[in-house]
Amino acid sequence: ADVGNFSFTLSHSSNALISNDMICGATNWGTVTAAGASSLNQNNQCATEECGEPSVSGNCNDVTAIGYDKTLWYRFTTNAARGTYTITVANNGSPADIIAPSLTVYRQNSTVCPASTPNFSNLTLVKQNLNLAASNNAQSVSLNCWEAEPNKTYYVQIDGNDLNETGNNFNV
């Protein structure tokens, strides 16, 4: 039969907003010393990409687009001593939680977030690790002493490779 009585239900479960989804809400690690800094139990599952954000698909208004990026942002300031800074993204999901993290580091040339709308043109790309292989291991990028200027602010953009991941849980 093509007619009859039925019930229809629609439900919604909300996810918490991710504060470091947008660059102006970047997790601030402060001035990094030998003790380092970390952000544990990160998840980019409901993250978005900002219009104008560098190193993304450019589909900022279409979350269903193939290649839509789910980026999270972190920032730190180098200390006065020259040295090497290593940023590592480690999978912290189950062994089946595969992530192919892409790490991009930018130096801030002048204020990026003077207001609620970021000025991405005030960033200079320093280094990328555009990981193409999904893994449940860690991925790193190192800024050598000639790449990380003393007393400068750097932004770290983390995303997964859209073609090669099933997980979203990681530590930075």
Side-chain angles (χ1 to χ4, degrees):
D2 64 351
V3 295
N5 298 320
F6 63 91
S7 296
F8 178 83
T9 302
L10 174 64
S11 63
H12 172 258
S13 298
S14 65
N15 287 4
L17 292 175
I18 304 168
S19 62
N20 61 333
D21 179 21
M22 304 297 180
I23 192 169
C24 293
T27 297
N28 186 359
W29 288 329
T31 300
V32 177
T33 63
S38 64
S39 294
L40 304 177
N41 300 315
Q42 302 293 287
N43 186 312
N44 70 333
Q45 184 175 16
C46 292
T48 61
E49 70 179 60
E50 293 178 80
C51 290
E53 183 174 349
S55 299
V56 294
S57 70
N59 296 315
C60 65
N61 293 315
D62 185 1
V63 298
T64 63
I66 294 173
Y68 183 83
D69 291 298
K70 301 173 188 85
T71 58
L72 294 180
W73 288 90
Y74 305 84
R75 69 184 169 125
F76 68 95
T77 302
T78 53
N79 61 48
R82 287 199 175 269
T84 300
Y85 293 82
T86 300
I87 302 156
T88 301
V89 175
N91 181 5
N92 73 345
S94 69
D97 191 13
I98 305 288
I99 188 167
S102 295
L103 289 79
T104 306
V105 181
Y106 302 92
R107 183 183 57 254
Q108 176 180 280
N109 299 318
S110 57
T111 305
V112 174
C113 295
S116 60
T117 303
N119 187 346
F120 290 110
S121 66
N122 289 340
L123 296 173
T124 297
L125 175 67
V126 176
K127 203 165 198 176
Q128 287 182 305
N129 178 351
L130 301 178
N131 184 32
L132 300 179
S135 169
N136 56 9
N137 296 319
Q139 300 293 327
S140 296
V141 62
S142 290
L143 300 179
N144 296 302
C145 59
W146 64 88
E147 296 169 313
E149 296 177 45
N151 303 313
K152 295 284 185 180
T153 298
Y154 290 82
Y155 282 85
V156 180
Q157 177 191 45
I158 297 180
D159 180 30
N161 177 330
D162 302 308
L163 304 176
N164 222 355
E165 68 178 40
T166 60
N168 307 94
N169 301 298
F170 54 89
N171 294 325
V172 183

